[in-house]
Amino acid sequence: MERAVRVRASVLQSDPYTPRNLALMDFNSITRLAAGAAYEMAGVGPAEIELIELHDCFATAELMHYENLGICVDGDAGALIDSGDTELGGRIPVNVSGGLLSKGHPLGATGIANIYEVTTHLRGEAGTRQVDGARIGMTHVVGAGSSCAIHILEKA
């Protein structure tokens, strides 16, 4: 039972239709909608998440998703990084695996890789990148089309 991980929330959100979507996908809105639903389903808020693996397909996407996931208020993503809070040992480590870009942006495998990484931490099996004492983690992935999946996992 020590390796058991519970799924507290599993949310898939599609992009609400607007005429602009035909030319411009809205990853911000779908992430915010999915995050809100996931927090409600899990009965936790952003302050209770202890590590995140998010879809950092571009450096700017990581910044936007800090705000979209409610980890900081809009406009404070740069300050959040500067504070060291998102580093290993920080308040809410993000992408301690190296993130999506370090893996070569493997289409289709991204969501599974994020779930594997968070699960490894919750089991205490992440070695030198281990987030000490991790009990609740979040995964986030977006896809063209547009869709967003968020999972909140908990050490059982």
Side-chain angles (χ1 to χ4, degrees):
M1 193 67 172
E2 286 187 29
R3 298 186 76 232
V5 172
R6 175 181 302 121
V7 178
R8 294 268 308 252
S10 179
V11 172
L12 178 62
Q13 175 69 49
S14 60
D15 199 1
Y17 175 79
T18 66
R20 288 186 62 169
N21 289 28
L22 299 175
L24 182 63
M25 294 172 277
D26 185 0
F27 294 119
N28 296 316
S29 292
I30 59 172
T31 294
R32 287 173 187 248
L33 289 168
Y39 291 136
E40 184 177 337
M41 184 182 290
V44 299
E48 292 151 291
I49 303 296
E50 298 166 328
L51 77 144
I52 299 174
E53 284 287 318
L54 61 74
H55 195 102
D56 63 342
C57 50
F58 307 101
T60 54
E62 183 175 342
L63 290 167
M64 291 183 333
H65 292 313
Y66 289 161
E67 297 172 6
N68 293 335
L69 294 171
I71 304 309
C72 66
V73 299
D74 289 356
D76 280 359
L80 181 67
I81 289 175
D82 292 344
S83 73
D85 281 351
T86 60
E87 297 173 7
L88 184 61
R91 177 180 61 85
I92 185 161
V94 176
N95 291 357
V96 296
S97 67
L100 173 62
L101 291 177
S102 76
K103 299 174 183 105
H105 198 167
L107 298 177
T110 304
I112 297 300
N114 288 354
I115 289 172
Y116 171 80
E117 180 68 18
V118 169
T119 298
T120 301
H121 285 271
L122 298 178
R123 290 177 171 168
E125 300 171 357
T128 58
R129 66 185 190 284
Q130 178 67 46
V131 173
D132 290 332
R135 299 204 48 82
I136 298 178
M138 173 186 272
T139 68
H140 162 265
V141 65
V142 292
S146 292
S147 60
C148 176
I150 293 183
H151 295 85
I152 297 178
L153 307 173
E154 175 182 42
K155 179 177 180 67

